[in-house]
Amino acid sequence: MDLLYRRYTSPFSLLDVMIAGGRFGSFARFLLKKDAEEKNEAMMWEFFLHKVYGKSFAEFKEELAGGTGKEDVMSEAEKEKIVARSQSILDGFAPKG
């Protein structure tokens, strides 16, 4: 209900309309998705303000979204090497018991 009260003055009448129109499920999904996007945006903004220098917020967001134009693809050999190294590290651990 807090999500609704932050956005709408009268959430109960809105909910009644959505339920009567058979759109309550899609409205709830939309509302949750929108809230998550806003929280993510706020978190990115706070990080940008305190940790990123020399670029605009739009450039920072594009970089996070992978819009750098470069493909960082790891080869299968590199993946297998990392898995093998991880497995050798894990093999060195013995559970207490």
Side-chain angles (χ1 to χ4, degrees), residues 54-64:
K55 63 178 85 171
S56 70
F57 185 57
E59 291 169 336
F60 171 68
K61 282 176 42 177
E62 183 178 326
E63 189 176 295
L64 284 179

Side-chain angles (χ1 to χ4, degrees), residues 6-7 33-43:
R6 276 191 284 146
R7 295 176 184 277
K33 181 179 177 185
K34 190 70 171 164
D35 184 59
E37 288 172 356
E38 288 173 356
K39 285 180 181 177
N40 190 36
E41 183 84 9
M43 184 174 54

Side-chain angles (χ1 to χ4, degrees), residues 6-46:
R6 276 191 284 146
R7 295 176 184 277
Y8 305 102
T9 311
S10 178
F12 291 111
S13 61
L14 173 67
L15 289 176
D16 289 341
V17 170
M18 291 297 154
I19 291 170
R23 298 180 312 199
F24 177 74
S26 62
F27 173 71
R29 283 188 294 277
F30 166 78
L31 189 62
L32 291 172
K33 181 179 177 185
K34 190 70 171 164
D35 184 59
E37 288 172 356
E38 288 173 356
K39 285 180 181 177
N40 190 36
E41 183 84 9
M43 184 174 54
M44 285 190 301
W45 175 249
E46 288 297 321

